[in-house]
Amino acid sequence: MRGDAASFVGNIPEHYDSGLGPMIFVDYAADIARRAAASSPARVLETAAGTGIVTRQLRDVLPPSAHVTATDLNAPMLEVARTKFRPGEAVDFQPADAAALPFADGAFDTVVCQFGVMFFPQKDTSYREVHRVLAPGGRYLFSVWDSHRHNPFGRITHETAASFFSTDPPQFYMVPFSYYQIDPIKESLIAAEFTDINVAVVKLEKEIPDAARFARGLVHGNPLIDQIKARVGVDPDRIVDALAQALRQEFGADPGRMPLQAIVFSASRRASAAF
């Protein structure tokens, strides 16, 4: 993962799940789970599973006979994910590095990754690893955020946090929105020997029922909070309050409405490929 921008530990998982999950993740999770289920896979791997937002959607739309393995580099995120499942549901949780997957060649029919690839320092290696663990004919589905231009909540959070620091402002919100250029991503997939590459731009409009709660999630629900604390001298709650005000100014008073835009990639391992 990419340094401190990928360290989702401490209290971050709870804030991520409750403050950001319903706002920016759950609708895209439902979308990518439906896409994954369309090919009726029996063995599904999820990387960068986080707090299980996509995992829950996968389990709900896949037949009971299908097995889901959810992985994340951050074990505390998976601890939150576990709480969403009843005993006996066919889901395994396992900490794992997406660039060094601890699975056999051809072990999965489908691999899913929502909003995780942007944080991988070894993106090309992660693509090769997914290709390796996919069975011939298997599919890789992953999503990335489009730029700040199309996701203004990210730009507003970045600018608001930066305004509290005259030097060395926190940079977390540059990372999730930095990997959106379609052609270079396609070239990386081709280099990893994927075929049948398809791209879908998925735009949503989302209601913000409570800007203050969303602002708290945006500050406390990811490594931005650690970057703020590391710089000392600024109370994170001041940033939360300023951000809530900025969100209302941009998107309207509660309930506001904001645009979201993601890019979903689908790629396949060639059916005739040999192990």
Side-chain angles (χ1 to χ4, degrees):
M1 290 285 190
R2 184 170 168 173
D4 65 354
S7 184
F8 288 71
V9 296
N11 293 326
I12 289 174
E14 290 78 10
H15 286 288
Y16 173 99
D17 194 61
S18 64
L20 299 182
M23 294 302 306
I24 61 175
F25 296 130
V26 71
D27 299 294
Y28 285 113
D31 176 82
I32 204 167
R34 286 194 299 268
R35 294 172 189 267
S39 59
S40 301
R43 304 164 300 166
V44 178
L45 170 66
E46 184 185 358
T47 60
T51 59
I53 295 170
V54 173
T55 322
R56 182 67 266 173
Q57 296 282 342
L58 286 168
R59 185 64 282 162
D60 288 344
V61 298
L62 290 168
S65 58
H67 192 276
V68 178
T69 302
T71 67
D72 196 279
L73 190 64
N74 295 286
M77 297 286 271
L78 293 179
E79 289 307 310
V80 175
R82 291 178 198 273
T83 67
K84 300 179 179 181
F85 295 87
R86 302 178 301 277
E89 291 192 270
V91 182
D92 287 335
F93 296 93
Q94 180 174 340
D97 185 340
L101 293 171
F103 304 109
D105 296 357
F108 300 96
D109 306 306
T110 295
V111 178
V112 176
C113 182
Q114 172 163 283
F115 302 133
V117 178
M118 308 90 71
F119 296 102
F120 300 166
Q122 299 172 292
K123 295 176 177 61
D124 289 348
T125 301
S126 76
Y127 293 142
R128 290 194 295 272
E129 276 292 273
V130 170
H131 188 272
R132 179 184 66 77
V133 303
L134 275 174
R139 287 204 308 157
Y140 182 28
L141 285 157
F142 68 96
S143 60
V144 299
W145 287 115
D146 210 332
S147 66
H148 277 168
R149 174 187 172 191
H150 299 288
N151 293 288
F153 79 90
R155 171 187 55 79
I156 293 166
T157 307
H158 176 70
E159 292 174 351
T160 302
S163 71
F164 284 82
F165 301 89
S166 57
T167 59
D168 188 30
Q171 295 295 312
F172 172 77
Y173 270 89
M174 296 304 293
V175 179
F177 305 94
S178 65
Y179 190 62
Y180 57 85
Q181 295 184 339
I182 291 172
D183 284 348
I185 295 174
K186 286 173 60 179
E187 290 301 320
S188 291
L189 291 169
I190 291 169
E193 301 187 10
F194 281 100
T195 62
D196 191 24
I197 298 167
N198 292 285
V199 183
V201 176
V202 183
K203 184 173 184 176
L204 300 175
E205 188 178 77
K206 187 72 175 179
E207 181 176 279
I208 308 173
D210 184 345
R213 181 177 181 183
F214 185 34
R216 179 160 293 277
L218 289 167
V219 172
H220 288 269
N222 55 59
L224 174 62
I225 186 61
D226 293 333
Q227 295 179 358
I228 292 169
K229 291 178 177 177
R231 285 159 174 77
V232 254
V234 176
D235 182 349
D237 285 344
R238 291 177 56 208
I239 299 177
V240 171
D241 292 343
L243 178 55
Q245 182 178 347
L247 291 170
R248 291 187 182 108
Q249 183 174 346
E250 179 81 14
F251 303 123
D254 301 355
R257 298 194 73 82
M258 68 175 172
L260 299 173
Q261 189 157 296
I263 306 169
V264 181
F265 291 81
S266 173
S268 299
R269 177 169 176 168
R270 197 182 307 276
S272 59
F275 286 96

